[in-house]
């Protein structure tokens, strides 16, 4: 069963004005992604998703040229061999590029989908796991910058769906961030409130908001600073009593080894569509397990979310599943047949279908060809 073809499709979906959410990296005006289709010589098709990295046309081109040339003809079940081939000839020799890590993620994900389909097993079982309940939080592109009253209405809808945890977007200004977090905590004393600043804070901002986040008993503050600003993370950790989270913008186990060694971030958030795929996420989870650190994967879009739920069902140190609760997300609702139901305990389970367990609407891909321009303004 050899890889006979690999095709990456850049996909773009504009977001209507009334569904545009503002957060620390801007206001979302369109959703981009890269869908990767891998076909074997005996006709099995695997699907994966590469993060757009704000350059989805370039990511797709990298898959369709260099990476396809490197691994076509490989045994499709040899996921470690494919990963090593790309690492040797691209990452190791030309630098730890984020574009290559994102591009190879989609290929790796599709190969795991093929393995599951070939044997008839769901991905979680193939990874050595079981169908088990995974706690979820309402996240993704939602709960953004808005007046506290409007935010409370949105939180109420998440709680009604069964979520016991939600993630608020910070980074507008210290004053407005404090007001929103305080309002949610006052209204929901028992809710697990997580926060994400999307790298928008300075240390001065952090010093201002930290006492209030502590008083609100937030579960974590995610990415207050850029991913590699280790000094700011060290200083921040020394002045707060809540956990710092990060990892969605770290690539491969080699960068996660540095992140773990820095001992500032204790909530690790690899993204399967960025970090190097499912293969790399499993290695990172094992590294983290040795340090008693939990894995709370970052996820959104569509195929990536479905695969993430399987991975969290398979690893021993799984934390929260990030459920994208955007009101408008065709990559979740129309591109694939994935849906998540939250039970009374705020938990979810992966699909029992073979592989990742999703069907892909190729007509949707054809009618939403990727185009250039920023996703956030």
């Amino acid at each position: 069963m050899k890889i006979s073809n690999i095709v990456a499709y850049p996909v773009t979906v504009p977001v209507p004005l009334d569904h545009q959410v503002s957060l620390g990296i801007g206001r979302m005006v369109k959703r981009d992604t890269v869908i990767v289709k891998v076909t074997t010589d005996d006709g099995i098709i695997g699907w994966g998703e590469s993060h757009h990295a704000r350059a989805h046309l370039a990511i797709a081109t990298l898959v369709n040229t260099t990476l396809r040339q490197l691994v076509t003809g490989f045994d499709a079940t040899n996921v470690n061999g494919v990963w090593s081939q790309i690492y040797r000839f691209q990452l190791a020799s030309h630098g730890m590029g984020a574009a290559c890590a994102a591009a190879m993620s989609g290929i790796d994900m599709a190969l795991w989908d093929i393995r599951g389909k070939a044997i008839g097993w769901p991905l979680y079982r193939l990874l050595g796991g079981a169908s088990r309940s995974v706690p979820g939080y309402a996240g993704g592109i939602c709960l953004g910058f808005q007046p506290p009253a409007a935010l409370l209405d949105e939180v109420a809808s998440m709680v009604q769906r069964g979520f016991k945890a939600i993630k608020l977007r910070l980074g507008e200004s210290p004053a407005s961030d404090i007001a929103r977090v305080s309002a949610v905590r006052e209204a929901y004393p028992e809710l697990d409130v997580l926060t994400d600043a999307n790298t928008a804070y300075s240390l001065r901002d952090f010093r201002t908001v930290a006492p209030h986040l502590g008083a609100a008993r937030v579960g974590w503050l995610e990415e207050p600073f850029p991913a590699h600003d280790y000094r700011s993370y060290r200083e921040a950790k020394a002045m707060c009593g809540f956990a710092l989270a990060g990892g969605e913008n770290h690539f491969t186990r080699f960068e996660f080894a540095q992140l773990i060694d820095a001992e500032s971030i204790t909530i690790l958030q690899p993204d399967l569509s960025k970090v190097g795929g499912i293969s790399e996420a499993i290695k990172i989870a094992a590294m983290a397990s040795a340090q008693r650190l939990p894995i709370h994967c970052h996820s959104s879009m569509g195929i990536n979310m479905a695969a993430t739920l399987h991975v969290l069902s398979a690893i021993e140190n799984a934390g929260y599943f990030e459920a994208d609760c955007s009101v408008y997300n065709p990559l979740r609702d129309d591109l694939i047949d994935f849906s998540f139901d939250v039970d009374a305990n705020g938990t979810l389970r992966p699909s029992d279908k073979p592989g990742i367990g999703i069907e892909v609407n190729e007509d949707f891909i054809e009618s939403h060809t990727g185009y250039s321009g920023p996703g956030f303004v």
Side-chain angles (χ1 to χ4, degrees), residues 51-112:
H51 196 274
H52 58 81
R54 292 205 179 190
H56 61 314
L57 304 182
I59 299 295
T61 299
L62 181 55
V63 173
N64 289 331
T65 54
T66 303
L67 302 192
R68 176 165 61 193
Q69 293 164 10
L70 284 174
V71 302
T72 297
F74 268 64
D75 186 330
T77 65
N78 185 13
V79 290
N80 288 331
V82 168
W83 206 99
S84 297
Q85 173 81 345
I86 295 173
Y87 174 75
R88 178 185 175 193
F89 288 100
Q90 193 69 22
L91 284 177
S93 59
H94 289 77
M96 196 62 69
C100 182
M104 68 198 297
S105 296
I107 296 174
D108 182 87
M109 199 181 297
L111 292 178
W112 278 101

Side-chain angles (χ1 to χ4, degrees), residues 1-326:
M1 188 169 64
K2 297 186 182 300
I3 298 171
S4 62
N5 196 25
I6 299 174
V7 182
Y9 303 94
V11 173
T12 295
V13 179
V15 178
L17 183 61
D18 58 340
H19 291 315
Q20 293 177 4
V21 176
S22 294
L23 48 149
I25 52 176
R27 174 170 51 87
M28 173 174 269
V29 295
K30 66 183 178 80
R31 279 185 178 266
D32 297 318
T33 193
V34 178
I35 304 303
V36 179
K37 179 182 182 181
V38 178
T39 306
T40 69
D41 58 2
D42 54 357
I44 299 178
I45 294 173
W47 294 98
E49 187 167 25
S50 292
H51 196 274
H52 58 81
R54 292 205 179 190
H56 61 314
L57 304 182
I59 299 295
T61 299
L62 181 55
V63 173
N64 289 331
T65 54
T66 303
L67 302 192
R68 176 165 61 193
Q69 293 164 10
L70 284 174
V71 302
T72 297
F74 268 64
D75 186 330
T77 65
N78 185 13
V79 290
N80 288 331
V82 168
W83 206 99
S84 297
Q85 173 81 345
I86 295 173
Y87 174 75
R88 178 185 175 193
F89 288 100
Q90 193 69 22
L91 284 177
S93 59
H94 289 77
M96 196 62 69
C100 182
M104 68 198 297
S105 296
I107 296 174
D108 182 87
M109 199 181 297
L111 292 178
W112 278 101
D113 191 34
I114 287 171
R115 294 187 78 195
K117 288 174 176 175
I119 199 172
W121 285 6
L123 177 59
Y124 69 77
R125 187 178 180 190
L126 199 64
L127 294 172
S131 178
R132 67 185 190 197
S133 297
V134 177
Y137 71 82
I141 310 300
C142 64
L143 301 169
F145 300 164
Q146 53 188 308
L151 179 63
L152 288 175
D153 288 340
E154 189 173 3
V155 172
S157 69
M158 309 302 184
V159 172
Q160 289 169 5
R161 288 182 64 178
F163 286 104
K164 307 298 184 185
I166 54 97
K167 186 167 77 177
L168 304 179
R169 298 292 180 166
L170 308 184
E172 183 180 29
S173 71
S176 59
D177 293 346
I178 291 166
R180 283 194 293 269
V181 172
S182 299
V184 172
R185 173 50 73 215
E186 182 177 357
Y188 296 95
E190 302 305 318
L191 190 65
D192 194 1
V193 178
L194 316 173
T195 59
D196 184 354
N198 290 108
T199 75
Y201 279 166
S202 64
L203 270 173
R204 182 177 181 179
D205 294 330
F206 182 87
R207 292 188 186 98
T208 301
V209 302
H212 300 274
L213 298 185
R217 297 178 284 109
V218 300
W220 72 57
L221 172 59
E222 183 176 332
E223 287 201 318
F225 317 112
H228 300 108
D229 186 2
Y230 291 109
R231 177 169 183 160
S232 291
Y233 278 102
R234 284 196 302 271
E235 292 192 30
K237 182 184 179 183
M239 67 177 82
C240 72
F242 49 84
L244 299 177
E248 70 173 272
N249 290 308
H250 286 79
F251 305 92
T252 77
R253 63 188 181 276
F254 306 109
E255 289 196 354
F256 268 86
Q258 294 178 310
L259 183 63
I260 292 171
D261 286 346
E263 297 185 345
S264 297
I265 294 173
T266 54
I267 302 294
L268 301 181
Q269 301 171 309
D271 185 316
L272 303 188
S273 67
K274 288 183 176 184
V275 78
I278 292 167
S279 300
E280 202 68 350
I282 294 298
K283 294 181 176 70
I284 291 165
M287 290 167 46
S289 175
Q291 303 296 326
R292 297 291 190 266
L293 295 173
I295 297 292
H296 305 257
C297 290
H298 172 267
S299 63
S300 60
M301 301 183 288
I303 299 175
N304 180 32
M305 256 202 303
T308 296
L309 195 48
H310 283 277
V311 169
L312 290 171
S313 290
I315 61 176
E316 66 171 351
N317 52 336
Y320 275 123
F321 167 73
E322 180 174 13
D324 179 71
C325 291
S326 308

Side-chain angles (χ1 to χ4, degrees), residues 360-372:
V360 174
N361 182 351
E362 295 191 63
D363 291 337
F364 182 93
I365 294 175
E366 185 176 345
S367 61
H368 291 84
T369 302
Y371 57 84
S372 61

